[in-house]
Amino acid sequence: MDEDSHEQVVPGSDEELNTPDVQGYEFRGEFDFHDLLDSYATTGFQATQLAEAIDIAKQMQEANATIYLTCTSNIISSGLREIVASLIRRGYIDVLITTSGGLTEDVIKTAHPFKMGEWDADEAALRERGINRLGNIFVPSDRYVWLEEFLYEFFDEFFAEESVRTPTAFAYELGEALDDENSVLKQAAEHEVPVYCPALTDAEVGNFLYYYRQQHDAKIDIKLLDDYERLIEGGMDADTTGLIAVGDGVPKHHAIMTNLFRGGADYAVYISTGMEGDGSLSGAPPNEAVSWGKIKAEETNYTQVQAEATLVFPLLVAGAFS
C-alpha cells in the first residue's frame, strides 16, 4: 500500500475535541416538549442555531433588556400574527417595528380572515376571481374594499385636529379603534408598546392616504423624523437592548441602525432566509452588523437561524418565553 496516498485518505488526528457529542432526541418514554427543544443544541445544523437563539432570548429577559421585535408583513399575513399579539399581551416586547403591510393586514384580519390556498394556482384565474395570492394564502379583494371604507372613516378622526401626524400615532390610534384580542395593533395600544413603521406608504395605507389627500385635505401629511428621534433616544436611554428580527428588510435595519447610536445592540437573534452573497441588507448576517457597530461584539450575544419563520418562530417563543 502506498503510505503517502493512505495518509491522504485516512490522515488521522491527534487532537481530542472537548465539544459536546452530536445527539438528538431519542423519543423514548414519555414525550417532553422542552427536552426536545433542549436536544436541538446537539442536533446540529439549524436546530443548533435555534437552540442558540432560544438561549440568547432568555439572556435578554434575564438582563431585563428592552426587547425590540421586528417583522415583515408576511409574518402578519400568516398565523404568526397571533403569536406576535400574544408576546405583546404578555409583556415580553417593548418595541415593535414592522411594515405598512403588517399594519393593513392586521386591521383587515380583525373583520375578515385570510384563507388557506395553494402554491400552484392559476394566477390569471385568481385575478379574474378577485383573489390575491400570498404564497399558499389567499386574500379576496373585497378585504381591501372594506379596508378603504374603514380607513376613510378613521382618517376623518385621525386628522381632525392635527393635519400632520406620525406613523406611531397612526398605529396607536388604529389599535385603539380595533376590537380583536388577536390584533397586534390592539395589544400594542393597550400595553403601550410603540409600533414604528418607517415605510408607512409602502402598502394600501399609502394608496388610500394619497386618495384621501387628493379628495379631502391637501395639508395632511405623515412625518417620520419625530419617530426616528424617539426610537434613537429610547435605545440610548435603555441600559440593555435585545433584537429579535423575524424576516429582514426595513424593520430589521431600522432596529440595528438606531441601536448604532448607543454603541450597538447587546443581543440579537435573526430568523432569515436572506442570502448573504448578494450583499443586500436582507441577506446580511448579524456579524456583518458588528462591523458597522450596530450589534456589540461579544462571543455569545447574537445568532442567526437560517430558516423560514413559520417553522421556527413558534418554537423560539415556546422555548424562550413560555
Side-chain angles (χ1 to χ4, degrees), residues 208-224:
F208 300 150
L209 279 170
Y210 167 75
Y211 291 134
Y212 188 84
R213 181 158 75 168
Q214 295 292 315
Q215 297 169 12
H216 293 81
D217 186 354
K219 295 180 181 179
I220 69 164
D221 201 0
I222 300 291
K223 60 180 178 179
L224 299 178

Side-chain angles (χ1 to χ4, degrees), residues 261-313:
F261 289 82
R262 64 180 304 277
D266 296 282
Y267 302 97
V269 169
Y270 289 4
I271 299 174
S272 171
T273 56
M275 183 181 72
E276 184 180 9
D278 62 9
S280 67
L281 183 278
S282 289
N287 57 336
E288 182 177 302
V290 171
S291 79
W292 292 83
K294 298 170 184 176
I295 296 175
K296 291 182 178 179
E298 303 290 345
E299 287 188 3
T300 60
N301 69 322
Y302 60 83
T303 194
Q304 176 173 355
V305 185
Q306 293 180 304
E308 197 272 310
T310 59
L311 293 172
V312 299
F313 186 53

Side-chain angles (χ1 to χ4, degrees), residues 62-127:
E62 291 166 1
N64 197 28
T66 296
I67 297 181
Y68 298 62
L69 176 65
T70 77
C71 64
T72 43
S73 64
N74 56 334
I75 304 307
I76 307 302
S77 308
S78 72
L80 295 184
R81 169 186 182 248
E82 285 70 21
I83 296 178
V84 173
S86 174
L87 284 172
I88 296 172
R89 181 173 63 248
R90 294 160 62 200
Y92 288 119
I93 303 304
D94 300 294
V95 177
L96 177 65
I97 307 176
T98 188
T99 61
S100 183
L103 304 187
T104 58
E105 293 179 5
D106 183 65
V107 172
I108 291 171
K109 283 187 168 184
T110 64
H112 300 286
F114 288 9
K115 307 297 288 185
M116 291 308 305
E118 55 189 16
W119 296 95
D120 187 15
D122 185 330
E123 311 293 346
L126 288 181
R127 181 65 176 171

Side-chain angles (χ1 to χ4, degrees), residues 32-49:
D32 186 292
F33 177 70
H34 286 281
D35 284 348
L36 171 66
L37 288 184
D38 288 344
S39 76
Y40 278 24
T42 56
T43 298
F45 305 139
Q46 294 308 302
T48 297
Q49 298 304 110

Side-chain angles (χ1 to χ4, degrees), residues 151-272:
L151 286 180
Y152 268 43
E153 292 182 9
F154 174 78
F155 290 157
D156 285 340
E157 295 187 11
F158 183 63
F159 292 111
E161 296 184 3
E162 298 178 66
S163 59
V164 181
R165 308 298 304 273
T166 62
T168 51
F170 180 81
Y172 177 78
E173 293 190 26
L174 260 183
E176 285 196 313
L178 301 174
D179 186 21
D180 176 4
E181 291 301 314
N182 285 323
S183 165
V184 171
L185 292 175
K186 175 181 172 62
Q187 293 301 329
E190 286 190 354
H191 295 86
E192 298 183 350
V193 173
V195 179
Y196 292 91
C197 186
L200 184 64
T201 57
D202 190 32
E204 288 73 23
V205 170
N207 299 343
F208 300 150
L209 279 170
Y210 167 75
Y211 291 134
Y212 188 84
R213 181 158 75 168
Q214 295 292 315
Q215 297 169 12
H216 293 81
D217 186 354
K219 295 180 181 179
I220 69 164
D221 201 0
I222 300 291
K223 60 180 178 179
L224 299 178
L225 198 53
D226 282 358
D227 274 1
Y228 195 56
E229 182 177 312
R230 179 185 176 190
L231 189 56
I232 291 171
E233 292 183 352
M236 292 175 68
D237 289 341
D239 292 331
T240 309
T241 62
L243 315 180
I244 300 175
V246 187
D248 300 306
V250 170
K252 180 181 87 172
H253 189 249
H254 219 57
I256 60 175
M257 185 64 175
T258 53
N259 268 266
L260 172 63
F261 289 82
R262 64 180 304 277
D266 296 282
Y267 302 97
V269 169
Y270 289 4
I271 299 174
S272 171

